[in-house]
Amino acid sequence: MAVSNEMAPDEPSTATVDGVVTAVRDGIMQGRYAPGQRLPEADLVSLYQASRGAVRTALAQLESEGIVLRERNRGARVRPISLDEAVEITEARAVVEGLCAAKAAQRITAEEKKSLRALGDELRVAVDEGDVMAYTRVNQEVHRAVRDISRHETAGVMLDRLRTQSVRYHYTVALLPGRPAVGMREHVEVIESVCSGDADRAEQTMRAHLLSVVDALQQLDANLHQW
Amino acid sequence: MAVSNEMAPDEPSTATVDGVVTAVRDGIMQGRYAPGQRLPEADLVSLYQASRGAVRTALAQLESEGIVLRERNRGARVRPISLDEAVEITEARAVVEGLCAAKAAQRITAEEKKSLRALGDELRVAVDEGDVMAYTRVNQEVHRAVRDISRHETAGVMLDRLRTQSVRYHYTVALLPGRPAVGMREHVEVIESVCSGDADRAEQTMRAHLLSVVDALQQLDANLHQW
DNA sequence: GGCAACCAGATTGTTAACAATCTTGGTTAC
DNA sequence: GTAACCAAGATTGTTAACAATCTGGTTGCC
């Protein structure tokens, strides 16, 4: 069995098709399912107590989300994302989140400004205390907040897809020396420009931030080739 | 029956799941299936000679592509796209195709420059002759060419999804008075800037072009409210 | 020893029947 | 005349059995 209970000891009982989708998706995003790992239907059936039809539908959906690969008569497996692809995904995020930042700057309310700035403070604390886990979490919350404030439905669903494909690298980037400090500075700039209402500057700072993540990814790539 | 043979007299025989997906998708994009029209599984089965399982899988995939809406125990229907949504989609296209244009400017080869400029000439001819059909077709070919030249897989997939959702409005926009002339001028600028190798200018011109489409859409909206 | 054909087990693809849910039309009570 | 109700038909959701395909190891032959 490719998927044993020891490897993914979660969500033990009852599941519909959506249940299986979220369970497997979370499993992939949290790294419990490794890239390239096989996902036999029978295993998922017994793991999540779902019917085979439900599992099958769920796998089809995950394939269309781009995080699962299926080959005819050969089953499904976790789709490996190369570093090149992670770069592409981040480039795409740069322009789409840039759009969100611009819209957010135009549409942000007083209340939203308060809670957005509060996230900036949380970020400072996390970096000061060297808490990488908290940094990564608040990091994502900032991006999520800008996405929500923008009220741009289309961009929102696009970002959901991109994020689920690339989260695996987020942890890796955050572990680069000095990265949290740089990322924090950039996020504060994004927050300030969005709150200022300057759409152009908000777009620029968000893009610059994500292009700096692209640089970090390529640096990671260089480090790997060095070994 | 919501889907009669008279309304969609195409693809009469044999179909796998992919066959049904492309058939229905094309039907929606070409306007043979109207927005909101119901798509009962039984009808699709007899129309395309596919098994019900295949039809069911196809509908699930089309739902995830955002062009079909499904409600539990109430079946599937063609998802209506509002004008507001079309605006959002075009805004998203503006930034993603802007990215493609920038990458294309950096990566374009001598051969590709020739065929891209040839498309520009075709566009001039179509506008001179007042051939709206040809204009719309070449129009899409230009965007497709830039997308291909950019060699940006991730952006390409995103654009495929956005395009299938919004094609319905392309014809409408092209029918606005003076629109083909404006669009032609903008496309020529895009082509020239991409061929010049100036990534920033290529991105700017592509964005400007699609934002002008947004304006055209909103003008369309105003016309509708006037009636 | 190496190679090719082959066989058994595992895994996925397909189909058909059954169950659950919704819609529609008519009927009845008020 | 209207509104609530109910039953029949239509439509989708679920399950289980069967068929097709692939994988890995084994056997026989050169």
Side-chain angles (χ1 to χ4, degrees), chain A residues 138-151:
Chain A
V138 180
N139 211 327
Q140 289 184 10
E141 280 177 25
V142 172
H143 287 273
R144 178 78 197 182
V146 172
R147 168 203 179 298
D148 287 343
I149 294 169
S150 75
R151 288 171 198 101

Side-chain angles (χ1 to χ4, degrees), chain A residues 40-41 52 56:
Chain A
E41 296 175 4
R52 222 187 117 208
R56 192 155 249 278

Side-chain angles (χ1 to χ4, degrees), chain B residues 22 118 136-137 167-168 197:
Chain B
T22 51
T136 307
R137 181 178 51 75
V167 268
R168 194 146 34 81

Side-chain angles (χ1 to χ4, degrees), chain B residues 20-204:
Chain B
V20 177
V21 168
T22 51
V24 175
R25 188 199 290 126
D26 289 351
I28 293 176
M29 289 177 68
Q30 294 170 18
R32 276 183 293 121
Y33 292 117
Q37 178 174 345
R38 293 192 58 192
L39 300 169
E41 296 175 3
D43 293 16
L44 299 178
V45 165
S46 62
L47 247 178
Y48 302 119
Q49 304 292 331
S51 76
R52 222 188 116 206
V55 168
R56 190 155 250 277
T57 308
L59 287 174
Q61 187 171 332
L62 290 168
E63 181 184 29
S64 85
E65 286 183 20
I67 56 179
V68 156
L69 211 61
R70 292 177 89 191
E71 286 171 291
R72 185 183 176 85
N73 290 320
R74 299 190 56 179
R77 52 177 216 268
V78 179
R79 173 160 164 239
I81 305 276
S82 69
L83 240 162
D84 281 350
E85 207 171 343
V87 168
E88 273 201 352
I89 290 169
T90 311
E91 285 173 344
R93 277 185 61 199
V95 294
V96 178
E97 294 210 39
L99 170 63
C100 282
K103 291 288 173 187
Q106 291 171 349
R107 297 173 179 172
I108 192 168
T109 68
E111 263 182 56
E112 287 168 335
K113 284 184 190 176
K114 266 184 82 172
S115 64
L116 190 57
R117 289 200 167 109
L119 282 179
D121 294 336
E122 275 191 63
L123 210 57
R124 277 197 201 86
V125 173
V127 172
D128 281 350
E129 298 181 351
D131 187 342
V132 178
M133 280 293 285
Y135 166 74
T136 307
R137 181 178 51 75
V138 181
N139 212 326
Q140 290 184 10
E141 280 177 26
V142 172
H143 286 274
R144 177 79 196 182
V146 173
R147 168 201 179 298
D148 287 342
I149 294 169
S150 75
R151 289 173 197 98
H152 200 290
E153 197 67 33
T154 305
V157 175
M158 295 170 76
L159 290 177
D160 278 341
R161 293 173 60 91
L162 292 175
R163 199 170 45 84
T164 56
Q165 289 183 356
S166 63
V167 268
R168 194 146 34 81
Y169 287 97
H170 293 179
Y171 301 95
T172 324
V173 168
L175 292 177
L176 281 172
R179 182 67 213 167
V182 173
M184 191 262 281
R185 233 180 346 256
E186 291 171 353
H187 278 111
V188 170
E189 279 176 31
V190 167
I191 291 171
E192 274 316 307
S193 56
V194 167
C195 288
S196 80
D198 185 338
D200 283 341
R201 194 159 69 90
E203 173 166 16
Q204 288 305 322

Side-chain angles (χ1 to χ4, degrees), chain A residues 19-85:
Chain A
V20 177
V21 168
T22 50
V24 175
R25 188 198 292 125
D26 288 352
I28 292 176
M29 288 177 69
Q30 293 170 18
R32 276 183 292 120
Y33 293 117
Q37 178 174 345
R38 293 192 57 195
L39 300 170
E41 296 175 4
D43 293 16
L44 299 178
V45 165
S46 63
L47 247 179
Y48 302 118
Q49 304 292 331
S51 76
R52 222 187 117 208
V55 167
R56 192 155 249 278
T57 307
L59 287 175
Q61 187 170 331
L62 290 168
E63 182 184 29
S64 85
E65 286 184 21
I67 57 180
V68 156
L69 212 61
R70 291 176 91 189
E71 286 171 293
R72 186 184 176 82
N73 291 320
R74 300 190 57 180
R77 51 179 218 269
V78 179
R79 174 160 163 239
I81 305 277
S82 70
L83 240 162
D84 282 349
E85 206 171 341

